[in-house]
Amino acid sequence: MFSLGSWLPALPGLAWGWALLDALLQGLVGACAVSVLCSLLKVYLYIQCANDPERQAEKEAMAARWPLLEPLQVLVLTAVLALVGSRVAALVVLEFSLRAASTILSLGKGAHSSQLYLLCQYSLGCGVSCGLTFLLEGAPHRSWNLALAAGLAGLLALHARRLARHVCALYELHSRQRYCGVCILLLAAGHGLPRLLRNALAVTFAVADLAAVELINRDFLSTGEAVRFWTPLSICYTLLVVYMQEESRQSTGRGAAFRTVLVRMGGLFILLLTVGRWSDILHIFVSLLGELWCLLHSGVLLESCCRQVRGGQPRATRG
């Protein structure tokens, strides 16, 4: 595998240093993807709250500014994604893809989609990391490619964050006076943001799923080893999906989201105790921290989605 370090003389520990740099750059791209997702979803939810007089408290909570929180979110998530191995990241991606497909088929369109976008934050970061690992494996000058990807992802995340700040501060004024092009565009087409996110996430997870299957299968020397791994994995994922569907029907809210994370990671932990490696066990705990951190960071948005779900249910029953 050629990288930036391949141009330099072989020194003790130099290869490990470049591998760490590649992992950090890869994690940064995934963290920026999560940041873009949260920023665009914040724009959509803020517009929804601004158009509803009963949701003014949610709007004010989303408009509250915490200058250091966003950079801290990117830094922490970059470190977590850099530490998580490709094997566990692939398992997280496959588990979420199966759960998302089951949720979409069972619930169809509705307010639950926004909540699903928030629940996929860490899985999205793992998916981007898996995709980059697979696509750049064996690529010449891998580190330069990752540096370019990180720079572009950082620009996208920065502009998405500026858009969210602009909307939270000036959307209501500009949409009334009709002299800001960005706010006028959001006023006319802001309802299409969920569709844009859905299409982008569908493409991202489609690539990530293919990469995840390949990254897992490359560790097996025979078909028998692959069958001994995929059989309990399929059973575990099926049970998890069934449990998650029942949990989502019975309760919503932040508490349910945190319980879902604990159950999912607990299921993967038990699975990897039997068919995994010791390093996978450590990576499961790192993934748990990453999932919890993403939920804590997006607590205001998650609460807004849950209230939207609870507020929509009575209207659906009356209709």
Side-chain angles (χ1 to χ4, degrees):
M1 184 182 299
F2 294 95
S3 180
L4 185 61
S6 63
W7 292 4
L8 301 176
L11 297 175
L14 189 60
W16 181 87
W18 288 120
L20 177 60
L21 176 61
D22 288 351
L24 288 173
L25 290 173
Q26 201 166 280
L28 179 59
V29 177
C32 289
V34 174
S35 179
V36 171
L37 172 66
C38 290
S39 296
L40 293 181
L41 194 57
K42 184 176 183 179
V43 169
Y44 171 72
L45 291 174
Y46 185 89
I47 293 174
Q48 296 297 308
C49 292
N51 296 330
D52 188 350
E54 297 180 357
R55 303 177 64 184
Q56 296 305 303
E58 299 175 42
K59 183 192 70 174
E60 293 174 1
M62 279 186 276
R65 297 192 60 180
W66 301 89
L68 297 179
L69 188 58
E70 288 296 333
L72 182 62
Q73 158 74 356
V74 173
L75 288 176
V76 172
L77 202 51
T78 297
V80 170
L81 292 174
L83 289 175
V84 173
S86 59
R87 185 182 176 96
V88 171
L91 292 176
V92 171
V93 169
L94 292 176
E95 186 272 332
F96 177 80
S97 298
L98 182 61
R99 182 160 51 93
S102 175
T103 301
I104 292 172
L105 291 175
S106 62
L107 299 177
K109 298 180 180 180
H112 294 271
S113 59
S114 298
Q115 186 174 348
L116 187 62
Y117 296 152
L118 287 174
L119 296 179
C120 84
Q121 292 178 75
Y122 181 72
S123 301
L124 173 61
C126 289
V128 172
S129 180
C130 287
L132 289 174
T133 299
F134 176 71
L135 294 174
L136 295 180
E137 188 173 14
H141 318 311
R142 170 187 169 91
S143 296
W144 288 116
N145 295 330
L146 285 173
L148 178 60
L152 294 175
L155 286 176
L156 285 176
L158 181 62
H159 285 292
R161 195 183 309 159
R162 287 178 176 174
L163 174 63
R165 286 201 298 263
H166 176 83
V167 168
C168 291
L170 299 171
Y171 171 77
E172 292 181 279
L173 175 64
H174 288 177
S175 61
R176 287 195 303 266
Q177 298 184 357
R178 306 293 179 93
Y179 65 80
C180 173
V182 172
C183 294
I184 293 175
L185 177 62
L186 290 173
L187 180 64
H191 61 276
L193 278 176
R195 184 173 63 252
L196 172 66
L197 292 175
R198 182 174 64 248
N199 294 337
L201 289 174
V203 173
T204 302
F205 277 102
V207 175
D209 289 337
L210 294 175
V213 172
E214 177 61 28
L215 291 174
I216 293 175
N217 283 335
R218 71 180 182 183
D219 294 331
F220 303 128
L221 300 177
S222 64
T223 304
E225 290 183 7
V227 171
R228 284 194 295 271
F229 180 85
W230 284 106
T231 300
L233 179 67
S234 301
I235 296 173
C236 177
Y237 279 2
T238 302
L239 294 176
L240 282 175
V241 168
V242 172
Y243 175 82
M244 295 306 148
Q245 292 299 329
E246 289 299 324
E247 181 72 15
S248 64
R249 292 190 186 100
Q250 295 176 3
S251 60
T252 59
R254 297 179 62 180
F258 282 103
R259 286 196 301 273
T260 297
V261 169
L262 293 176
V263 171
R264 288 170 47 221
M265 290 301 161
L268 290 180
F269 175 78
I270 294 174
L271 172 68
L272 292 176
L273 278 177
T274 57
V275 297
R277 306 165 182 166
W278 287 110
S279 60
D280 295 335
I281 305 301
L282 175 62
H283 294 157
I284 283 292
F285 285 107
V286 175
S287 293
L288 176 61
L289 293 177
E291 288 272 17
L292 295 177
W293 173 258
C294 287
L295 289 180
L296 287 172
H297 170 261
S298 59
V300 174
L301 301 181
L302 184 60
E303 188 62 31
S304 177
C305 290
C306 294
R307 289 177 182 173
Q308 187 175 353
V309 171
R310 291 193 295 265
Q313 288 173 349
R315 289 191 293 269
T317 56
R318 288 194 299 267

